[in-house]
Structure formats: structure tokens, C-alpha cells
Amino acid sequence: MSKKFTIYILLYNSEKSINWVFDEIDKFDVNYINQIYLVDNKSLDNTIEKCKERRAISHLKEKIKLLCNNNNYGMGGSLKNCIENFKSNSSNEFMCILHSNGKGINSKIFNSFVNEYKNNLNVDFLTTTRFSKSTNLANYPKSRVYGNYIFNLITFILSGKYFTDSGSGLVLIKRDLLKDVNLDDLTNGPQFNPMLNIFLKAKSKNFKEIPIDWREGKLPSNISVLSYSIELLKILTKYFIFSRVLKRKNYWKFKSLERKYTLI
């Protein structure tokens, strides 16, 4: 099996950040890249057209594909398409998920994943953390920092899984960990990230958080902090009751959506 990685970069109305996305791709360690998917969640601007323009002049153009959702399936739904694509169409050992919002520096994140893998060939699950002592949170609102501290603590209390950044969506996942993931058990909303992290950490034999610098991004967030928090608290409470107390296997269940995408 190839040791190279399949990379998925999430896009939504990302036209203004596409040049930055491709500039970052140019800095990736190409020795570990097999395929790069730019995953568009039915953008309403010129994201796809801009991607095509930049891909045409990229030295990695043969490795870059556009994975275009046929409808907007939510952040979680888009990530489900990434996982399904990886499991069914790739023989690579790892999938890497990155974002296009410019809050984290993609080249540094991906190359940190590669370095960690080279130093520890047994690694099976890496997440990033914005909240270690070595990270730089330039211009990131203090209210969000402290809000994340609180939710990391709540996540630990209710799930029993400790993260310094439980909602991290910038991850490296070994194929074997995804075998038993029932995607219909997970939300199509932005809470998908902490749900997947909890599930995978329970299975992981070699997990590590990688510190990253974080900043206000090139694209504004369209996620309501209040509604996100309320829904996540419901999800974590359900995990505590049905998984930890009642010991049930099917502790999460969300409405299944038919998800289709087109590769360009």
C-alpha cells in the first residue's frame, strides 16, 4: 500500500482565497502527495471557475481534482463525501483534511503531519490544536479562545476523551480507523468534527495533537456560535447517556441524506 496521502481541502464561497489555497499547495511536501481534492460545497460565487484557472497553471495540476457536491450538504455532509471518496477510490494509507479559510497555514499544517509521520510510522490519527502553549493566536478573539476552553472541558467530562482542541477539523487519519465509521451516525452540520474526533480517538492506538498558529481568516465564518454550542451540547449529552452510562453502540443517529458529487 502506498504511503502517500490523499488531501481534501474544503471550499465554500472561497473565490477570494483560492489564490492563497494554491500558493499553499505549492509549498506542500510533494513526496507524500498522491492526490489533492478541492471539495466545493455548492458555492454561490466563482469558486469553481477560479480553481480551474489556478489548476491549469499549477505544477501539480495532474494531481488536483475538483470534487463538487451536487447540493449544499452542510459541512458534515461535505466531509462525509470526502470520507466516502477516500474509502472507495483511493489506495493511499492516509487522508488529510484542510480548509480554505486562511485561518491556519495549510502548508505548515500538512508538512507538520508529514514530519510527524516520518518520525513515527505507527501514527494513525493526528489532529491540530490552536490552544497549546506554543501556538500563536494572532488577532483571534479572546471570547472564542475561552469559549473553546470551556467546550474542551465539557467534551472531556461528557465523552471521557481529552482534547486541547476538540473541534479541530484539520486532521490526518489512517485508512484503518475509518473502516467502522457509520457516517449516518454523524451530523451533517459543523459539529461533525468533534463527533468524528471522539469516535476516532476511541479507536486510535497512536494519537497526537499538532500545535498550529491561528488567526482571523480570509473568509468570514457563517456559523452561529450560539446555535453550534447548543447543538454540540445536545450531542455530547446524548453520548454520555447512551454510550457511557447505558453502554449502547448506536448512541448517535442523524437523518440520512442522499449525497452525490461530480469530479472535474
Side-chain angles (χ1 to χ4, degrees), residues 11-187:
L11 311 174
Y12 180 66
N13 291 344
S14 304
E15 177 184 1
K16 294 180 179 179
S17 69
I18 294 304
N19 284 331
W20 174 84
V21 168
F22 274 85
D23 289 345
E24 288 297 297
I25 288 174
D26 288 341
K27 301 173 188 175
F28 287 177
D29 186 336
V30 297
N31 295 315
Y32 285 82
I33 299 173
N34 181 268
Q35 193 79 58
I36 300 172
Y37 288 94
L38 304 177
V39 184
D40 183 71
N41 198 22
K42 201 64 174 179
S43 290
L44 302 176
D45 60 6
N46 294 316
T47 294
I48 294 177
E49 290 73 17
K50 189 70 175 179
C51 285
K52 291 178 180 178
E53 291 175 7
R54 281 301 306 257
R55 179 176 63 177
I57 59 175
S58 172
H59 72 285
L60 292 174
K61 61 184 178 182
E62 300 302 325
K63 294 181 180 291
I64 299 173
K65 291 184 179 181
L66 299 180
L67 190 159
C68 303
N69 293 339
N70 290 6
N71 289 293
N72 187 317
Y73 301 123
M75 180 184 290
S78 198
L79 286 164
K80 290 177 183 181
N81 275 351
C82 296
I83 293 172
E84 288 177 342
N85 173 270
F86 176 73
K87 291 172 71 174
S88 61
N89 297 308
S90 173
S91 61
N92 295 325
E93 191 172 5
F94 288 91
M95 74 176 296
C96 173
I97 300 172
L98 301 171
H99 291 177
S100 61
N101 55 24
K103 294 184 178 182
I105 302 173
N106 281 347
S107 59
K108 289 186 177 181
I109 295 168
F110 177 72
N111 293 336
S112 293
F113 285 160
V114 170
N115 289 334
E116 185 62 33
Y117 169 75
K118 289 192 290 188
N119 292 330
N120 180 6
L121 296 180
N122 293 319
V123 69
D124 58 10
F125 183 32
L126 298 177
T127 67
T128 52
T129 177
R130 298 163 289 178
F131 307 114
S132 77
K133 293 181 179 179
S134 61
T135 58
N136 178 16
L137 296 175
N139 301 320
Y140 196 60
K142 289 287 183 67
S143 59
R144 293 193 180 185
V145 174
Y146 292 119
N148 275 280
Y149 288 158
I150 293 170
F151 259 100
N152 291 333
L153 177 61
I154 293 173
T155 298
F156 174 63
I157 293 171
L158 295 180
S159 74
K161 307 295 185 296
Y162 178 73
F163 299 89
T164 62
D165 195 349
S166 58
S168 173
L170 308 170
V171 296
L172 184 74
I173 307 169
K174 192 171 185 178
R175 171 180 295 278
D176 292 347
L177 283 189
L178 295 169
K179 286 181 180 178
D180 299 326
V181 175
N182 183 352
L183 294 176
D184 287 338
D185 287 346
L186 306 180
T187 180

Side-chain angles (χ1 to χ4, degrees), residues 215-234:
R215 59 194 179 186
E216 280 297 284
K218 297 179 177 296
L219 301 174
S221 174
N222 58 0
I223 298 173
S224 166
V225 175
L226 179 61
S227 60
Y228 175 92
S229 302
I230 292 172
E231 182 62 23
L232 181 58
L233 186 58
K234 291 178 182 177

